[in-house]
Amino acid sequence: DAKTTQPPSMDCAEGRAANLPCNHSTISGNEYVYWYRQIHSQGPQYIIHGLKNNETNEMASLIITEDRKSSTLILPHATLRDTAVYYCIVRVLSAGGTSYGKLTFGQGTILTVHP
Amino acid sequence: DVKVTQSSRYLVKRTGEKVFLECVQDMDHENMFWYRQDPGLGLRLIYFSYDVKMKEKGDIPEGYSVSREKKERFSLILESASTNQTSMYLCASSSTGVPGAGYTFGSGTRLTVV
């Protein structure tokens, strides 16, 4: 699986958009980009994933550049409860679209949302 | 919502003890995983299972074994606990039938080996 690079930490004011970047310059054509977050003392939580199109769900938006070498997770209106470590992961789906392949977590970005 | 339940939140064991960490999921997921998380090292995969009685080694399987006798339950076994196995252990599950589906993690078991 391709390696990812994220800034170690970021700050964001409550109510503002949090934009978390991820570099995955060695990504292959069949690798997806996944985002997870981990709030202190809890297990990681799935946020969103995408292949090449931008994606949006109730939690966040994922913007993937046209060359797919980087992506940005956007939390449109950050709250104090969004303070967490955010992980960007790229992963190949196994043959047939099944998804049991392992996830490899890096160090992530510590996002601190302040009042 | 999928729930992944780990039997203990905190556990203290003695060196040399055999330790069982239990994980149960309630959404009929085929795939289950055990990770450990340590400061500065992130989450590392120990073992995973994609079917009952099936298992595959992850990145750091040494000192561990697993058991998957029923679809909903995945057990991690420390054959002879050592202090370097003090860590946060996280169980996760995912569905093969939903391509691209995310993993659901449990809340973790913080194991201390003394």
Side-chain angles (χ1 to χ4, degrees):
Chain A
D1 291 340
K3 186 175 178 178
T4 62
T5 304
Q6 299 176 254
S9 63
M10 294 182 64
D11 288 332
C12 178
E14 189 176 20
R16 304 297 294 267
N19 296 283
L20 292 92
C22 179
N23 182 287
H24 31 80
S25 58
T26 60
I27 193 169
S28 301
N30 60 349
E31 288 183 307
Y32 284 66
V33 180
Y34 285 77
W35 283 84
Y36 283 75
R37 73 179 183 184
Q38 187 173 22
I39 296 169
H40 183 63
S41 296
Q42 296 182 21
Q45 176 190 23
Y46 165 80
I47 301 173
I48 199 167
H49 76 282
L51 181 62
K52 51 186 175 182
N53 297 321
N54 297 338
E55 303 288 342
T56 296
N57 63 19
E58 65 278 5
M59 290 183 68
S61 294
L62 174 61
I63 309 297
I64 302 174
T65 58
E66 193 168 342
D67 63 7
R68 303 208 324 119
K69 292 181 185 292
S70 65
S71 60
T72 301
L73 179 74
I74 301 172
L75 308 177
H77 306 286
T79 70
L80 299 178
R81 285 177 292 181
D82 291 323
T83 292
V85 180
Y86 286 78
Y87 297 99
C88 169
I89 302 162
V90 292
R91 182 167 70 93
V92 177
L93 286 188
S94 54
T98 57
S99 60
Y100 67 76
K102 65 179 186 180
L103 289 176
T104 301
F105 288 80
Q107 296 302 308
T109 295
I110 300 171
L111 175 68
T112 303
V113 181
H114 50 84
Chain B
D1 276 359
V2 177
K3 285 189 77 172
V4 177
T5 304
Q6 295 184 229
S7 54
S8 303
R9 192 80 173 95
Y10 298 94
L11 211 52
V12 180
K13 295 292 181 180
R14 295 195 179 278
T15 300
E17 274 194 79
K18 190 169 186 176
V19 181
F20 293 85
L21 302 184
E22 305 289 346
C23 176
V24 177
Q25 50 93 4
D26 67 358
M27 283 299 288
D28 203 35
H29 279 181
E30 295 82 5
N31 315 310
M32 298 187 75
F33 308 82
W34 275 107
Y35 288 81
R36 64 177 282 179
Q37 185 171 27
D38 302 286
L41 296 176
L43 283 90
R44 294 178 291 167
L45 181 64
I46 304 171
Y47 266 98
F48 66 101
S49 168
Y50 53 89
D51 201 353
V52 175
K53 297 191 186 295
M54 303 301 287
K55 61 185 179 184
E56 296 242 356
K57 293 180 179 179
D59 299 318
I60 50 163
E62 296 78 20
Y64 303 95
S65 62
V66 290
S67 173
R68 183 116 182 254
E69 295 297 317
K70 293 185 178 181
K71 192 174 186 180
E72 67 270 19
R73 185 179 297 271
F74 192 36
S75 303
L76 180 69
I77 304 157
L78 285 66
E79 298 290 343
S80 177
S82 63
T83 55
N84 62 13
Q85 292 178 310
T86 291
S87 185
M88 169 70 88
Y89 289 87
L90 289 154
C91 176
S93 72
S94 73
S95 173
T96 299
V98 183
Y103 288 23
T104 300
F105 281 83
S107 298
T109 296
R110 188 166 292 281
L111 173 68
T112 302
V113 182
V114 297

